[in-house]
Amino acid sequence: MTYCLGILLTSGLVMAADSRSNAGIDDFTSVYKLDLIDVPGKRVIVILSAGNLATTQSVITQLREYSDHGGPRDLHKVKTMYEAAKAVGDTLREVIARDGSYVAPYGSAAGSFIVGGQIAGEAPRLFQIYTAGNFIEASPRSRYLQLGETKYGKPILDRALRFDSPLDQAAKLALLSFDAAMRSDLSVAMPIDILRYEADSFCSTNRASLEKDDPYWSALRTAYGDGLAALVERLPPPPDWSA
Amino acid sequence: MTYCLGILLTSGLVMAADSRSNAGIDDFTSVYKLDLIDVPGKRVIVILSAGNLATTQSVITQLREYSDHGGPRDLHKVKTMYEAAKAVGDTLREVIARDGSYVAPYGSAAGSFIVGGQIAGEAPRLFQIYTAGNFIEASPRSRYLQLGETKYGKPILDRALRFDSPLDQAAKLALLSFDAAMRSDLSVAMPIDILRYEADSFCSTNRASLEKDDPYWSALRTAYGDGLAALVERLPPPPDWSA
């Protein structure tokens, strides 16, 4: 599987992806599922990928080639994040039209993406691109988007994430959401690539690849586990229903 | 969907089921998915059901008829919980053999069960019966079993439930696990039927059907939500990765 998460906030964006790719439990490797296109001071575009690795890599590489040679899908030039999402969707359609029927006998060529970022003149925006190439946009009401192994990591976001949560708070929640997914699904694994983007900064340097032994990651998990156990302990016990 | 959860503890068992049955989002109703066979002082057997309602109701009714007329699958007489699990599995096979091919053109006749309880002479035991009629048993290592919408409610159990958790603690965790499932899946819904069974009590009276406005349920959810938000707030923020 895969787990990718994009969070839209008044304060910016948190974008994160795991890095496991596998073709069966006896055949896995570590890949990049977070790609970044940026022009410092002007635009930051982050693309998270899930699905068939050949498909998603082709989409990213093709988009980079379009950017190198100009043209309508040049992510260095698109005027809005909506255009960026459309460029990803159109390129996905192109790759699936090229490879889909050849791949079908062996499995699915499907891929999907989360595209988040900010282009000068707009607020930060966040989109999810389906394998059909169409897409939806996040809003204050649906303020995060997920790909892949989405269920384990959802409750903590629904309970504690708000549209006006500070960026640091959202980054903690994103990592705890990944921890929930990784505890139950071996096909979601470290390192986690994570980027905190502060609205209107047009700067993408606050990012990291967290390995299993990362000290912050370890401290966060331990403190959360201990805190949760203590919290449940403090909650009122159920009444005696025999009475 | 459905959500059923059985927890095995040194201190006893917690058995719980939601009550929504649906055939499409425009056609749902409330049913019983927790059934109880007990002989006070001697045996308590709880059966949780998921899957095709016609199948699971037939299995339970057929088992009750076997019990009324004696015979090898009489749950009032089986000598071990293993035999009880086998009786449920065999009856499931019988019902699917009778109905399966007729149902196939319209959908799946599949059903599955969690069977937990205690028969005098044994410790409490917990089993999961698959639609093939075969089954597995819980242990200190895999101390809970789930049916249906299992993923949302799993992380909190993995983080906070231990084999030696007190019964009340486990009941709180079970309800929080249901809350997680219900927040994300409309096909899991109140009332929740829940039973706390204390080891060696051979008494099944500590049970309830919790409605949406149950005061304990409301208090638990509010206290947990507030406590979780405060906990996340207290966790250390991620370092500035630009540095």
Side-chain angles (χ1 to χ4, degrees):
Chain A
M1 192 79 84
T2 275
Y3 184 35
C4 293
L5 173 64
I7 299 175
L8 178 70
L9 306 155
T10 46
S11 54
L13 293 158
V14 176
M15 304 288 285
D18 87 307
S19 55
R20 177 150 291 180
S21 177
N22 72 298
I25 58 165
D26 57 349
D27 181 9
F28 64 84
T29 182
S30 187
V31 300
Y32 292 96
K33 304 178 190 174
L34 183 155
D35 287 272
L36 175 66
I37 289 99
D38 67 342
V39 182
K42 296 197 172 153
R43 64 181 58 204
V44 168
I45 300 174
V46 182
I47 306 177
L48 310 178
S49 305
N52 183 303
L53 184 64
T55 298
T56 57
Q57 280 192 350
S58 261
V59 170
I60 299 295
T61 308
Q62 192 73 71
L63 281 166
R64 290 201 181 277
E65 294 202 352
Y66 286 138
S67 290
D68 291 345
H69 302 100
R73 293 189 208 153
D74 182 349
L75 294 181
H76 291 87
K77 300 220 175 104
V78 290
K79 291 196 177 61
T80 64
M81 283 301 299
Y82 180 88
E83 276 183 36
K86 193 166 168 302
V88 174
D90 288 346
T91 307
L92 175 59
R93 286 175 180 170
E94 196 175 86
V95 170
I96 288 185
R98 192 179 71 195
D99 291 350
S101 63
Y102 294 94
V103 176
Y106 310 101
S108 169
S112 52
F113 298 90
I114 292 174
V115 178
Q118 185 174 18
I119 292 174
E122 292 192 317
R125 297 172 75 179
L126 181 67
F127 296 85
Q128 176 167 350
I129 289 90
Y130 299 113
T131 199
N134 58 339
F135 50 88
I136 56 167
E137 183 168 5
S139 71
R141 197 169 274 181
S142 62
R143 57 209 174 283
Y144 65 88
L145 298 171
Q146 299 169 294
L147 301 177
E149 183 56 273
T150 60
K151 291 190 176 184
Y152 297 117
K154 190 168 184 294
I156 190 166
L157 300 174
D158 286 338
R159 290 190 198 275
L161 180 69
R162 298 191 319 273
F163 184 55
D164 61 354
S165 293
L167 206 49
D168 282 353
Q169 197 78 352
K172 285 186 236 174
L173 288 167
L175 291 172
L176 294 171
S177 177
F178 271 78
D179 186 44
M182 287 192 300
R183 277 170 184 264
S184 290
D185 188 338
L186 280 179
S187 73
V188 179
M190 313 286 289
I192 298 167
D193 291 310
I194 182 166
L195 185 148
R196 267 177 295 171
Y197 174 73
E198 200 187 315
D200 305 326
S201 70
F202 300 100
C203 163
S204 61
T205 55
N206 198 348
R207 65 179 193 269
S209 289
L210 301 181
E211 299 283 349
K212 220 185 300 191
D213 57 357
D214 178 86
Y216 175 69
W217 168 252
S218 306
L220 182 74
R221 295 176 77 210
T222 306
Y224 181 69
D226 294 350
L228 194 77
L231 165 60
V232 174
E233 189 99 32
R234 282 197 312 274
L235 295 174
D240 181 352
W241 293 310
S242 320
Chain B
M1 193 75 86
T2 275
Y3 184 35
C4 294
L5 172 65
I7 300 176
L8 178 70
L9 305 156
T10 48
S11 54
L13 293 159
V14 176
M15 304 288 286
D18 87 307
S19 55
R20 177 150 293 179
S21 178
N22 74 297
I25 57 165
D26 56 349
D27 180 10
F28 64 84
T29 181
S30 188
V31 300
Y32 291 96
K33 303 179 191 173
L34 183 155
D35 287 90
L36 176 66
I37 289 99
D38 66 342
V39 182
K42 296 196 172 153
R43 65 181 58 205
V44 169
I45 300 173
V46 181
I47 306 177
L48 309 177
S49 306
N52 183 302
L53 184 64
T55 298
T56 58
Q57 280 192 348
S58 262
V59 170
I60 299 295
T61 308
Q62 192 72 71
L63 282 165
R64 290 201 180 277
E65 295 203 350
Y66 286 138
S67 291
D68 291 345
H69 303 97
R73 293 189 209 153
D74 182 349
L75 294 182
H76 292 85
K77 299 218 175 105
V78 291
K79 291 195 178 61
T80 63
M81 284 300 299
Y82 180 87
E83 276 184 34
K86 194 169 167 301
V88 174
D90 288 345
T91 308
L92 175 60
R93 285 175 182 171
E94 199 173 84
V95 170
I96 287 184
R98 193 179 70 196
D99 291 351
S101 63
Y102 294 94
V103 176
Y106 310 101
S108 168
S112 52
F113 299 90
I114 292 173
V115 179
Q118 185 174 19
I119 292 174
E122 293 192 317
R125 296 172 76 179
L126 182 68
F127 296 85
Q128 175 166 352
I129 288 90
Y130 299 113
T131 199
N134 58 340
F135 50 87
I136 56 167
E137 183 169 5
S139 71
R141 199 169 270 178
S142 61
R143 57 210 173 281
Y144 66 88
L145 299 171
Q146 301 168 294
L147 300 177
E149 182 56 273
T150 61
K151 291 189 176 185
Y152 297 118
K154 191 168 185 292
I156 191 167
L157 300 175
D158 287 338
R159 289 189 200 275
L161 179 69
R162 297 189 320 272
F163 186 55
D164 62 353
S165 293
L167 207 48
D168 283 354
Q169 198 78 353
K172 285 186 236 172
L173 288 168
L175 291 173
L176 294 171
S177 177
F178 271 78
D179 186 45
M182 288 192 301
R183 277 170 185 264
S184 289
D185 188 336
L186 279 180
S187 72
V188 179
M190 311 289 286
I192 299 168
D193 291 311
I194 181 165
L195 184 149
R196 267 177 293 171
Y197 174 74
E198 200 187 315
D200 305 327
S201 71
F202 299 101
C203 164
S204 61
T205 56
N206 198 347
R207 63 178 195 268
S209 289
L210 302 180
E211 300 282 349
K212 221 185 299 193
D213 57 357
D214 179 86
Y216 174 69
W217 168 253
S218 305
L220 182 75
R221 295 175 76 210
T222 306
Y224 182 69
D226 293 350
L228 195 77
L231 166 60
V232 173
E233 189 99 34
R234 282 197 312 275
L235 294 174
D240 182 351
W241 293 310
S242 319

